Amino acid sequence: MNEGIVSPMDEMQVHGALMVGFAQACVNLNIVAGHDATSFIKGLQINDWYPLSQWEKLQELVVRSYGNVDPIMVKVGIAMMTGWYHFGPGKSVVRKGVSFLHYQTGSGGFASVVRGPESVVGSFELEQFDKSRGVAVVHSTTPFNRKMECGVIIGGMSAPGDIDYVDVVNDVDPDRLLVEFH
């Protein structure tokens, strides 16, 4: 039996596609750290559900060797969404960068790869959006790394190729991602 499969006692679950996407992004960026990480990644099944603790273990295996993980996590998020768009279902789901922002903050994106009570899962919601100014605000209460979430937005909005510039920061409020795009 796969030890990653969730028991009924675990409240939040993360879909294997997210786990495998994170792991593959780390491999592609050459940031997988050591034998433990490689062994853990090999055991992941794309269609299984895993407890949040397994996600945290994977993340820790990958970033434990870095003093400043923020830039690493942004790159991982970008790589995850670039892979999702070009090698996964992304092209069939979103056609424009702005569409990705709406998809990710709606029921199709974040909500499709996690499950559990909202009090544990949190939310990833588009709080403000002004296409003419090229700005948006995403409010995140998820247990995921905010820098990775910044990278997810950058990578997902950039992948279709119709937006020349995307930047996301969360330096003012740790639960708000400020998006600029042109």
Side-chain angles (χ1 to χ4, degrees):
M1 177 175 224
N2 184 336
E3 72 180 56
I5 295 177
V6 176
S7 73
M9 306 222 6
D10 294 304
E11 286 194 323
M12 179 172 173
Q13 301 170 2
V14 179
H15 195 273
L18 187 61
M19 299 276 288
V20 171
F22 180 89
Q24 189 60 53
C26 293
V27 169
N28 293 349
L29 294 169
N30 296 314
I31 59 171
V32 176
H35 177 70
D36 291 341
T38 304
S39 295
F40 185 89
I41 289 169
K42 284 182 183 177
L44 294 174
Q45 300 296 314
I46 198 163
N47 291 316
D48 285 348
W49 285 90
Y50 295 87
L52 180 62
S53 61
Q54 291 293 94
W55 171 271
E56 292 167 345
K57 180 179 177 184
L58 173 61
Q59 183 174 285
E60 177 59 29
L61 286 169
V62 172
V63 300
R64 67 181 175 199
S65 301
Y66 297 93
N68 182 6
V69 300
D70 288 353
I72 300 293
M73 295 307 287
V74 171
K75 286 182 180 186
V76 167
I78 292 169
M80 285 172 63
M81 291 303 98
T82 301
W84 171 82
Y85 185 81
H86 293 289
F87 306 110
K91 286 182 184 179
S92 66
V93 176
V94 296
R95 304 224 187 273
K96 296 184 179 247
V98 170
S99 299
F100 174 81
L101 185 60
H102 291 286
Y103 173 78
Q104 186 64 12
T105 58
S107 61
F110 170 74
S112 70
V113 292
V114 297
R115 63 185 182 190
E118 187 177 333
S119 62
V120 178
V121 171
S123 64
F124 197 77
E125 299 174 352
L126 189 58
E127 194 172 73
Q128 294 176 20
F129 179 77
D130 186 335
K131 187 175 180 180
S132 64
R133 289 183 42 228
V135 295
V137 177
V138 174
H139 182 234
S140 177
T141 60
T142 75
F144 296 109
N145 179 288
R146 295 291 182 262
K147 296 302 181 184
M148 184 191 73
E149 290 180 337
C150 289
V152 163
I153 294 172
I154 293 168
M157 290 184 74
S158 299
D162 65 318
I163 296 178
D164 294 324
Y165 175 83
V166 180
D167 192 28
V168 182
V169 296
N170 78 315
D171 299 335
V172 178
D173 177 338
D175 292 335
R176 285 190 170 66
L177 310 176
L178 309 177
V179 183
E180 181 182 355
F181 58 94
H182 305 288

